[in-house]
PDB file of all heavy atoms in Angstrom:
ATOM      1  N   ALA A   1       0.891  -1.219   0.026  1.00 98.00           N
ATOM      2  CA  ALA A   1       0.007  -0.036   0.001  1.00 98.00           C
ATOM      3  C   ALA A   1       0.904   1.150  -0.029  1.00 98.00           C
ATOM      4  O   ALA A   1       1.757   1.337   0.840  1.00 98.00           O
ATOM      5  CB  ALA A   1      -0.872   0.061   1.197  1.00 98.00           C
ATOM      6  N   ASP A   2       0.642   2.230  -0.900  1.00 98.00           N
ATOM      7  CA  ASP A   2       1.331   3.355  -1.034  1.00 98.00           C
ATOM      8  C   ASP A   2       1.119   4.368   0.167  1.00 98.00           C
ATOM      9  O   ASP A   2       2.078   5.076   0.686  1.00 98.00           O
ATOM     10  CB  ASP A   2       1.218   4.042  -2.371  1.00 98.00           C
ATOM     11  CG  ASP A   2       1.517   3.092  -3.504  1.00 98.00           C
ATOM     12  OD1 ASP A   2       2.745   2.812  -3.676  1.00 98.00           O
ATOM     13  OD2 ASP A   2       0.651   2.729  -4.207  1.00 98.00           O
ATOM     14  N   PHE A   3      -0.027   4.506   0.543  1.00 98.00           N
ATOM     15  CA  PHE A   3      -0.489   5.486   1.467  1.00 98.00           C
ATOM     16  C   PHE A   3      -1.622   4.946   2.344  1.00 98.00           C
ATOM     17  O   PHE A   3      -2.704   4.441   1.782  1.00 98.00           O
ATOM     18  CB  PHE A   3      -0.933   6.765   0.642  1.00 98.00           C
ATOM     19  CG  PHE A   3      -1.164   7.984   1.552  1.00 98.00           C
ATOM     20  CD1 PHE A   3      -0.596   8.124   2.703  1.00 98.00           C
ATOM     21  CD2 PHE A   3      -1.936   9.064   0.932  1.00 98.00           C
ATOM     22  CE1 PHE A   3      -0.730   9.310   3.416  1.00 98.00           C
ATOM     23  CE2 PHE A   3      -2.134  10.152   1.614  1.00 98.00           C
ATOM     24  CZ  PHE A   3      -1.544  10.369   2.929  1.00 98.00           C
ATOM     25  N   ILE A   4      -1.446   5.021   3.691  1.00 98.00           N
ATOM     26  CA  ILE A   4      -2.542   4.619   4.540  1.00 98.00           C
ATOM     27  C   ILE A   4      -2.788   5.827   5.509  1.00 98.00           C
ATOM     28  O   ILE A   4      -1.869   6.508   5.956  1.00 98.00           O
ATOM     29  CB  ILE A   4      -2.161   3.433   5.398  1.00 98.00           C
ATOM     30  CG1 ILE A   4      -2.005   2.206   4.485  1.00 98.00           C
ATOM     31  CG2 ILE A   4      -3.186   3.182   6.412  1.00 98.00           C
ATOM     32  CD1 ILE A   4      -1.514   0.917   5.196  1.00 98.00           C
ATOM     33  N   LYS A   5      -4.111   6.084   5.682  1.00 98.00           N
ATOM     34  CA  LYS A   5      -4.371   7.182   6.649  1.00 98.00           C
ATOM     35  C   LYS A   5      -5.286   6.579   7.785  1.00 98.00           C
ATOM     36  O   LYS A   5      -6.253   5.859   7.431  1.00 98.00           O
ATOM     37  CB  LYS A   5      -5.178   8.237   5.895  1.00 98.00           C
ATOM     38  CG  LYS A   5      -5.694   9.463   6.773  1.00 98.00           C
ATOM     39  CD  LYS A   5      -7.032   9.313   7.478  1.00 98.00           C
ATOM     40  CE  LYS A   5      -8.163   9.626   6.551  1.00 98.00           C
ATOM     41  NZ  LYS A   5      -9.492   9.358   7.328  1.00 98.00           N
ATOM     42  N   SER A   6      -4.975   6.940   9.060  1.00 98.00           N
ATOM     43  CA  SER A   6      -5.807   6.584  10.176  1.00 98.00           C
ATOM     44  C   SER A   6      -6.299   7.738  10.900  1.00 98.00           C
ATOM     45  O   SER A   6      -5.477   8.622  11.287  1.00 98.00           O
ATOM     46  CB  SER A   6      -5.015   5.681  11.061  1.00 98.00           C
ATOM     47  OG  SER A   6      -5.710   5.365  12.259  1.00 98.00           O
ATOM     48  N   ASP A   7      -7.639   7.844  10.983  1.00 96.00           N
ATOM     49  CA  ASP A   7      -8.288   9.009  11.782  1.00 96.00           C
ATOM     50  C   ASP A   7      -9.352   8.292  12.520  1.00 96.00           C
ATOM     51  O   ASP A   7     -10.515   8.260  12.221  1.00 96.00           O
ATOM     52  CB  ASP A   7      -8.806  10.001  10.796  1.00 96.00           C
ATOM     53  CG  ASP A   7      -9.473  11.124  11.516  1.00 96.00           C
ATOM     54  OD1 ASP A   7      -9.610  11.104  12.799  1.00 96.00           O
ATOM     55  OD2 ASP A   7      -9.847  12.050  10.895  1.00 96.00           O
ATOM     56  N   VAL A   8      -8.951   7.736  13.742  1.00 97.00           N
ATOM     57  CA  VAL A   8      -9.993   6.949  14.433  1.00 97.00           C
ATOM     58  C   VAL A   8     -10.097   7.386  15.904  1.00 97.00           C
ATOM     59  O   VAL A   8     -10.387   6.677  16.833  1.00 97.00           O
ATOM     60  CB  VAL A   8      -9.655   5.405  14.509  1.00 97.00           C
ATOM     61  CG1 VAL A   8      -9.879   4.846  13.037  1.00 97.00           C
ATOM     62  CG2 VAL A   8      -8.210   5.207  14.836  1.00 97.00           C
ATOM     63  N   GLU A   9      -9.983   8.754  16.121  1.00 94.00           N
ATOM     64  CA  GLU A   9     -10.288   9.339  17.356  1.00 94.00           C
ATOM     65  C   GLU A   9      -9.631   8.738  18.640  1.00 94.00           C
ATOM     66  O   GLU A   9     -10.151   8.370  19.495  1.00 94.00           O
ATOM     67  CB  GLU A   9     -11.789   9.460  17.545  1.00 94.00           C
ATOM     68  CG  GLU A   9     -12.632  10.004  16.506  1.00 94.00           C
ATOM     69  CD  GLU A   9     -12.125  11.543  16.231  1.00 94.00           C
ATOM     70  OE1 GLU A   9     -11.933  12.226  17.180  1.00 94.00           O
ATOM     71  OE2 GLU A   9     -11.975  11.816  15.008  1.00 94.00           O
ATOM     72  N   GLY A  10      -8.344   8.632  18.511  1.00 95.00           N
ATOM     73  CA  GLY A  10      -7.492   8.141  19.674  1.00 95.00           C
ATOM     74  C   GLY A  10      -7.041   6.747  19.588  1.00 95.00           C
ATOM     75  O   GLY A  10      -6.325   6.386  20.493  1.00 95.00           O
ATOM     76  N   PHE A  11      -7.623   5.931  18.647  1.00 97.00           N
ATOM     77  CA  PHE A  11      -7.368   4.550  18.689  1.00 97.00           C
ATOM     78  C   PHE A  11      -6.295   4.255  17.580  1.00 97.00           C
ATOM     79  O   PHE A  11      -6.095   3.115  17.123  1.00 97.00           O
ATOM     80  CB  PHE A  11      -8.611   3.721  18.395  1.00 97.00           C
ATOM     81  CG  PHE A  11      -9.523   3.614  19.541  1.00 97.00           C
ATOM     82  CD1 PHE A  11     -10.359   4.717  19.793  1.00 97.00           C
ATOM     83  CD2 PHE A  11      -9.519   2.555  20.420  1.00 97.00           C
ATOM     84  CE1 PHE A  11     -11.234   4.676  21.041  1.00 97.00           C
ATOM     85  CE2 PHE A  11     -10.286   2.498  21.559  1.00 97.00           C
ATOM     86  CZ  PHE A  11     -11.166   3.507  21.839  1.00 97.00           C
ATOM     87  N   ASP A  12      -5.626   5.267  17.040  1.00 98.00           N
ATOM     88  CA  ASP A  12      -4.707   5.151  16.009  1.00 98.00           C
ATOM     89  C   ASP A  12      -3.492   4.233  16.392  1.00 98.00           C
ATOM     90  O   ASP A  12      -2.957   3.544  15.508  1.00 98.00           O
ATOM     91  CB  ASP A  12      -4.104   6.481  15.496  1.00 98.00           C
ATOM     92  CG  ASP A  12      -5.301   7.416  15.257  1.00 98.00           C
ATOM     93  OD1 ASP A  12      -5.850   8.086  16.161  1.00 98.00           O
ATOM     94  OD2 ASP A  12      -5.712   7.448  14.084  1.00 98.00           O
ATOM     95  N   LEU A  13      -2.989   4.192  17.497  1.00 98.00           N
ATOM     96  CA  LEU A  13      -1.912   3.420  17.989  1.00 98.00           C
ATOM     97  C   LEU A  13      -2.241   1.932  17.746  1.00 98.00           C
ATOM     98  O   LEU A  13      -1.436   1.114  17.371  1.00 98.00           O
ATOM     99  CB  LEU A  13      -1.460   3.713  19.400  1.00 98.00           C
ATOM    100  CG  LEU A  13      -0.229   2.813  19.933  1.00 98.00           C
ATOM    101  CD1 LEU A  13       0.973   3.147  19.146  1.00 98.00           C
ATOM    102  CD2 LEU A  13      -0.055   3.230  21.480  1.00 98.00           C
ATOM    103  N   SER A  14      -3.473   1.616  18.136  1.00 98.00           N
ATOM    104  CA  SER A  14      -3.956   0.207  17.846  1.00 98.00           C
ATOM    105  C   SER A  14      -3.941  -0.164  16.425  1.00 98.00           C
ATOM    106  O   SER A  14      -3.493  -1.254  16.048  1.00 98.00           O
ATOM    107  CB  SER A  14      -5.400   0.038  18.477  1.00 98.00           C
ATOM    108  OG  SER A  14      -5.854  -1.213  18.234  1.00 98.00           O
ATOM    109  N   VAL A  15      -4.358   0.704  15.535  1.00 98.00           N
ATOM    110  CA  VAL A  15      -4.216   0.465  14.037  1.00 98.00           C
ATOM    111  C   VAL A  15      -2.833   0.221  13.659  1.00 98.00           C
ATOM    112  O   VAL A  15      -2.548  -0.732  12.855  1.00 98.00           O
ATOM    113  CB  VAL A  15      -4.884   1.709  13.275  1.00 98.00           C
ATOM    114  CG1 VAL A  15      -4.759   1.394  11.777  1.00 98.00           C
ATOM    115  CG2 VAL A  15      -6.354   1.868  13.713  1.00 98.00           C
ATOM    116  N   LEU A  16      -1.879   1.013  14.149  1.00 98.00           N
ATOM    117  CA  LEU A  16      -0.492   0.936  13.815  1.00 98.00           C
ATOM    118  C   LEU A  16       0.102  -0.419  14.291  1.00 98.00           C
ATOM    119  O   LEU A  16       0.720  -1.075  13.620  1.00 98.00           O
ATOM    120  CB  LEU A  16       0.347   2.040  14.499  1.00 98.00           C
ATOM    121  CG  LEU A  16       0.364   3.413  13.731  1.00 98.00           C
ATOM    122  CD1 LEU A  16       0.783   4.523  14.595  1.00 98.00           C
ATOM    123  CD2 LEU A  16       1.247   3.221  12.573  1.00 98.00           C
ATOM    124  N   ARG A  17      -0.296  -0.758  15.552  1.00 98.00           N
ATOM    125  CA  ARG A  17       0.183  -2.098  16.067  1.00 98.00           C
ATOM    126  C   ARG A  17      -0.330  -3.232  15.229  1.00 98.00           C
ATOM    127  O   ARG A  17       0.491  -4.284  15.071  1.00 98.00           O
ATOM    128  CB  ARG A  17      -0.248  -2.222  17.503  1.00 98.00           C
ATOM    129  CG  ARG A  17       0.542  -1.324  18.463  1.00 98.00           C
ATOM    130  CD  ARG A  17      -0.075  -1.362  19.879  1.00 98.00           C
ATOM    131  NE  ARG A  17       0.930  -0.744  20.852  1.00 98.00           N
ATOM    132  CZ  ARG A  17       0.537  -0.219  22.000  1.00 98.00           C
ATOM    133  NH1 ARG A  17      -0.655  -0.369  22.326  1.00 98.00           N
ATOM    134  NH2 ARG A  17       1.422   0.415  22.755  1.00 98.00           N
ATOM    135  N   GLY A  18      -1.521  -3.182  14.704  1.00 98.00           N
ATOM    136  CA  GLY A  18      -1.970  -4.221  13.796  1.00 98.00           C
ATOM    137  C   GLY A  18      -1.285  -4.154  12.470  1.00 98.00           C
ATOM    138  O   GLY A  18      -1.463  -5.193  11.685  1.00 98.00           O
ATOM    139  N   ALA A  19      -0.471  -3.181  12.139  1.00 98.00           N
ATOM    140  CA  ALA A  19       0.286  -3.158  10.895  1.00 98.00           C
ATOM    141  C   ALA A  19       1.726  -3.472  11.032  1.00 98.00           C
ATOM    142  O   ALA A  19       2.461  -3.360  10.096  1.00 98.00           O
ATOM    143  CB  ALA A  19       0.114  -1.754  10.253  1.00 98.00           C
ATOM    144  N   VAL A  20       2.165  -3.649  12.223  1.00 98.00           N
ATOM    145  CA  VAL A  20       3.643  -3.863  12.464  1.00 98.00           C
ATOM    146  C   VAL A  20       4.224  -5.012  11.526  1.00 98.00           C
ATOM    147  O   VAL A  20       5.337  -4.762  10.916  1.00 98.00           O
ATOM    148  CB  VAL A  20       3.940  -4.251  13.963  1.00 98.00           C
ATOM    149  CG1 VAL A  20       5.416  -4.822  14.053  1.00 98.00           C
ATOM    150  CG2 VAL A  20       3.680  -2.968  14.763  1.00 98.00           C
ATOM    151  N   PRO A  21       3.611  -6.181  11.302  1.00 98.00           N
ATOM    152  CA  PRO A  21       4.137  -7.126  10.309  1.00 98.00           C
ATOM    153  C   PRO A  21       4.370  -6.612   8.915  1.00 98.00           C
ATOM    154  O   PRO A  21       5.371  -6.837   8.318  1.00 98.00           O
ATOM    155  CB  PRO A  21       3.182  -8.304  10.349  1.00 98.00           C
ATOM    156  CG  PRO A  21       2.419  -8.152  11.629  1.00 98.00           C
ATOM    157  CD  PRO A  21       2.372  -6.682  11.885  1.00 98.00           C
ATOM    158  N   LEU A  22       3.432  -5.679   8.503  1.00 98.00           N
ATOM    159  CA  LEU A  22       3.608  -5.091   7.226  1.00 98.00           C
ATOM    160  C   LEU A  22       4.717  -4.043   7.127  1.00 98.00           C
ATOM    161  O   LEU A  22       5.395  -4.009   6.169  1.00 98.00           O
ATOM    162  CB  LEU A  22       2.246  -4.398   6.848  1.00 98.00           C
ATOM    163  CG  LEU A  22       0.940  -5.294   6.833  1.00 98.00           C
ATOM    164  CD1 LEU A  22      -0.288  -4.437   6.767  1.00 98.00           C
ATOM    165  CD2 LEU A  22       1.088  -6.358   5.872  1.00 98.00           C
ATOM    166  N   LEU A  23       4.836  -3.215   8.282  1.00 98.00           N
ATOM    167  CA  LEU A  23       5.848  -2.277   8.222  1.00 98.00           C
ATOM    168  C   LEU A  23       7.244  -2.945   8.244  1.00 98.00           C
ATOM    169  O   LEU A  23       8.145  -2.504   7.619  1.00 98.00           O
ATOM    170  CB  LEU A  23       5.761  -1.460   9.592  1.00 98.00           C
ATOM    171  CG  LEU A  23       4.480  -0.592   9.585  1.00 98.00           C
ATOM    172  CD1 LEU A  23       4.309  -0.041  10.984  1.00 98.00           C
ATOM    173  CD2 LEU A  23       4.557   0.597   8.643  1.00 98.00           C
ATOM    174  N   ALA A  24       7.386  -4.012   9.001  1.00 98.00           N
ATOM    175  CA  ALA A  24       8.631  -4.766   9.077  1.00 98.00           C
ATOM    176  C   ALA A  24       8.942  -5.306   7.675  1.00 98.00           C
ATOM    177  O   ALA A  24      10.153  -5.419   7.341  1.00 98.00           O
ATOM    178  CB  ALA A  24       8.459  -5.931   9.988  1.00 98.00           C
ATOM    179  N   GLU A  25       7.982  -5.595   6.780  1.00 98.00           N
ATOM    180  CA  GLU A  25       8.230  -6.147   5.479  1.00 98.00           C
ATOM    181  C   GLU A  25       8.207  -5.049   4.396  1.00 98.00           C
ATOM    182  O   GLU A  25       8.298  -5.336   3.259  1.00 98.00           O
ATOM    183  CB  GLU A  25       7.286  -7.217   5.210  1.00 98.00           C
ATOM    184  CG  GLU A  25       7.262  -8.406   5.953  1.00 98.00           C
ATOM    185  CD  GLU A  25       6.150  -9.395   5.813  1.00 98.00           C
ATOM    186  OE1 GLU A  25       5.221  -9.092   4.951  1.00 98.00           O
ATOM    187  OE2 GLU A  25       6.115 -10.510   6.403  1.00 98.00           O
ATOM    188  N   ARG A  26       8.248  -3.787   4.937  1.00 98.00           N
ATOM    189  CA  ARG A  26       8.326  -2.585   4.031  1.00 98.00           C
ATOM    190  C   ARG A  26       7.119  -2.584   2.937  1.00 98.00           C
ATOM    191  O   ARG A  26       7.250  -2.042   1.934  1.00 98.00           O
ATOM    192  CB  ARG A  26       9.634  -2.591   3.302  1.00 98.00           C
ATOM    193  CG  ARG A  26      10.833  -2.652   4.170  1.00 98.00           C
ATOM    194  CD  ARG A  26      12.147  -2.811   3.316  1.00 98.00           C
ATOM    195  NE  ARG A  26      12.195  -1.672   2.357  1.00 98.00           N
ATOM    196  CZ  ARG A  26      12.850  -0.501   2.536  1.00 98.00           C
ATOM    197  NH1 ARG A  26      13.326  -0.331   3.755  1.00 98.00           N
ATOM    198  NH2 ARG A  26      12.985   0.402   1.677  1.00 98.00           N
ATOM    199  N   ARG A  27       5.925  -3.044   3.502  1.00 98.00           N
ATOM    200  CA  ARG A  27       4.796  -3.169   2.550  1.00 98.00           C
ATOM    201  C   ARG A  27       3.876  -1.921   2.706  1.00 98.00           C
ATOM    202  O   ARG A  27       2.788  -1.894   2.012  1.00 98.00           O
ATOM    203  CB  ARG A  27       4.124  -4.446   2.863  1.00 98.00           C
ATOM    204  CG  ARG A  27       4.841  -5.642   2.639  1.00 98.00           C
ATOM    205  CD  ARG A  27       4.105  -6.903   3.023  1.00 98.00           C
ATOM    206  NE  ARG A  27       2.918  -7.150   2.199  1.00 98.00           N
ATOM    207  CZ  ARG A  27       2.072  -8.117   2.383  1.00 98.00           C
ATOM    208  NH1 ARG A  27       2.250  -8.990   3.361  1.00 98.00           N
ATOM    209  NH2 ARG A  27       1.004  -8.268   1.609  1.00 98.00           N
ATOM    210  N   ILE A  28       4.357  -0.851   3.346  1.00 98.00           N
ATOM    211  CA  ILE A  28       3.504   0.383   3.540  1.00 98.00           C
ATOM    212  C   ILE A  28       4.522   1.487   3.153  1.00 98.00           C
ATOM    213  O   ILE A  28       5.657   1.594   3.732  1.00 98.00           O
ATOM    214  CB  ILE A  28       2.911   0.494   4.842  1.00 98.00           C
ATOM    215  CG1 ILE A  28       1.884  -0.572   5.169  1.00 98.00           C
ATOM    216  CG2 ILE A  28       2.347   1.902   4.993  1.00 98.00           C
ATOM    217  CD1 ILE A  28       1.444  -0.554   6.557  1.00 98.00           C
ATOM    218  N   GLY A  29       4.115   2.395   2.175  1.00 98.00           N
ATOM    219  CA  GLY A  29       4.872   3.506   1.818  1.00 98.00           C
ATOM    220  C   GLY A  29       4.919   4.587   2.940  1.00 98.00           C
ATOM    221  O   GLY A  29       5.839   4.816   3.648  1.00 98.00           O
ATOM    222  N   LEU A  30       3.715   5.179   3.136  1.00 98.00           N
ATOM    223  CA  LEU A  30       3.433   6.235   4.147  1.00 98.00           C
ATOM    224  C   LEU A  30       2.242   5.730   4.946  1.00 98.00           C
ATOM    225  O   LEU A  30       1.284   5.263   4.500  1.00 98.00           O
ATOM    226  CB  LEU A  30       3.217   7.553   3.514  1.00 98.00           C
ATOM    227  CG  LEU A  30       4.304   8.389   2.992  1.00 98.00           C
ATOM    228  CD1 LEU A  30       4.865   7.860   1.714  1.00 98.00           C
ATOM    229  CD2 LEU A  30       3.786   9.830   2.720  1.00 98.00           C
TER     230      LEU A  30
END
């Protein structure tokens, strides 16, 4: 994914934590 946006009223850290495997594999641009 080239670009992901999270706007979930304070729960954004949870969204990020669910993406850690993808980040580790460089599968997200921004």
Side-chain angles (χ1 to χ4, degrees):
D2 299 293
F3 191 20
I4 296 178
K5 182 272 277 180
S6 172
D7 180 357
V8 289
E9 305 303 315
F11 288 80
D12 306 86
L13 180 61
S14 179
V15 179
L16 276 164
R17 285 173 171 159
V20 166
L22 305 171
L23 295 168
E25 295 174 356
R26 304 173 59 88
R27 296 176 66 186
I28 297 171
L30 280 74

